[in-house]
Amino acid sequence: MKIENAQFRVDGGIHPVYNKHLAKDNAIQAMPLPSLLRVSMSQHLGAPAKPVVAKGDTVLRGQIIGEPAGFISAAVHAPTSGTVKAIVQAPTATGQSVAAVEIEPDCEDKWRDDIKGNPNWESLEVKELIDLVSDAGVAGMGGAGFPTHVKLSPPPNKTIDTLIINGAECEPYLTADNRLMIEQAENIWTGCRIIMKILGAQTVRVAIEDNKPEAIEAMEMAMASTEGNVAIVKLKTEYPQGAEKQQIFAITGKEVPSAGLPMDVGAVVENVGTTLAVWDAVVNGKPLTERVTSVTGTPVSKPGNIRNRIGTSYGDLIEFCGGTEGDTAKIISGGPMMGFAQSSLEVTTTKTTSGLLLLPPKLVTNYSSTPCISCGRCVDGCPMYLMPCELSQMIEAEDYSAAREINLMDCIECGCCAFQCPAHRPLVQHMRQGKGQVMIMMREEKEKEAEKTKD
Ligand code: SF4
Ligand code: SF4
């Protein structure tokens, strides 16, 4: 095992104020069960799960309450034992209204009877390991939440030689992954070995930004006796070093093609939280029912990294952190760069809720945007080599085909362009809107194609 520096540097990127000091030294705290959990059926990218319980049912922790609705979907499990109070339509962090199962905990927190661990996981076949990950409903916990069993099942024509465990946590303020590496390095490393076996990857790189020396030290100790092509890669602290494509380039020098996937260059990237959930699913046989969320920002009385049951309301999380001191001007689910502004504290945590950030009035300036002055700063800052200024103007003019032509769909919504823009143009909102419209166009094209084949 060795420690090395990233060999390649991605163009673009920014250096925001990180403010990780607010929560980075606070050990993970387990939050007691709230009086109600509202578990959304939309926990990740892809189709929401289908509720399979009804009002009045009693459930045990780990029991399936939402079945996957298609290949790109993952099961949803009861986060504790109790009674189903209702199936409701509830808002998600991205503003959609989706079915959710409300559970009133019985405070016994009793697991399903058939939970069985696999301490000798090394003797299991690859298919058995993937089934355990799938049955546990594991989904990417670093952001988009792609169902993990799908990511771990590349088509037979794609060979994966490199597994990257993503511990960059480059978003300002967020510190949950940092704490997981410090406190559970051994288990993360076992999760990584399980994924190596599933993918047959020979090269493993654990990527951590150099502003997390304790996490690097903890992972180094956990990996010390491992032989083979295994290394910790120290990444320069720079946003967005945690983005998949940027991280693959920084470590391997390989560029994921436009509209391509990491597997196109023989790589798979898994977040440290996801890797830990794989360990829990396989070694302990436990479905994913909780996660660690950074609750932070200066208005939070006691910022921290809180282990909470999936379905905990943002209001309950803030209350557990001692409530607020002073005014809060903005609440963001996730980090300040890629997160979503919230208008209600009734929204509940999901498998992807990495952070809950409260910002005071002095950090929230409501500038009105002015016309583009063609300064080019957004182009310099874009790590995907896009032309955000042009894309934004095309989207404003509703010329989505033109935006698609100049690779709008490659935008990773990192926010570097908007961060740099002196005209305060709402560039990320434009990209999100444009991408949504292009997705609709693509779906319609597919349907037309299918119709033609039928004829
Ligand atoms: S949000 Fe999109 S366009 Fe803007 S910098 Fe990031 S990748 Fe580039
Ligand atoms: S940074 Fe803003 S003002 Fe400058 S070119 Fe880009 S969109 Fe225009």
Side-chain angles (χ1 to χ4, degrees), residues 252-305:
T252 68
K254 291 181 189 167
E255 237 175 274
V256 178
S258 173
L261 292 169
M263 68 171 79
D264 296 330
V265 295
V268 161
V269 182
E270 290 291 358
N271 161 268
V272 288
T274 317
T275 308
L276 188 64
V278 167
W279 161 78
D280 210 16
V282 171
V283 177
N284 301 324
K286 287 184 177 168
L288 181 54
T289 59
E290 61 183 12
R291 70 154 295 142
V292 177
T293 302
S294 300
V295 182
T296 184
T298 49
V300 180
S301 294
K302 294 180 202 144
N305 300 292

Side-chain angles (χ1 to χ4, degrees), residues 35 81 85 112 129 147 184 246 303 323 325 348 363 366 382 407 425:
S35 57
S81 54
K85 295 305 287 179
R112 218 174 67 197
L129 293 170
Q184 284 193 269
Q246 282 63 32
E325 285 168 7
T348 57
L363 292 183
N366 291 315
C382 179
N407 300 327
R425 310 244 325 135

Side-chain angles (χ1 to χ4, degrees), residues 371-379 388-389 417 420-423 425 427:
C372 172
I373 55 167
S374 302
C375 66
R377 283 196 215 170
C378 57
V379 181
C389 43
C417 50
Q420 312 257 62
C421 179
R425 310 244 325 135
L427 297 169

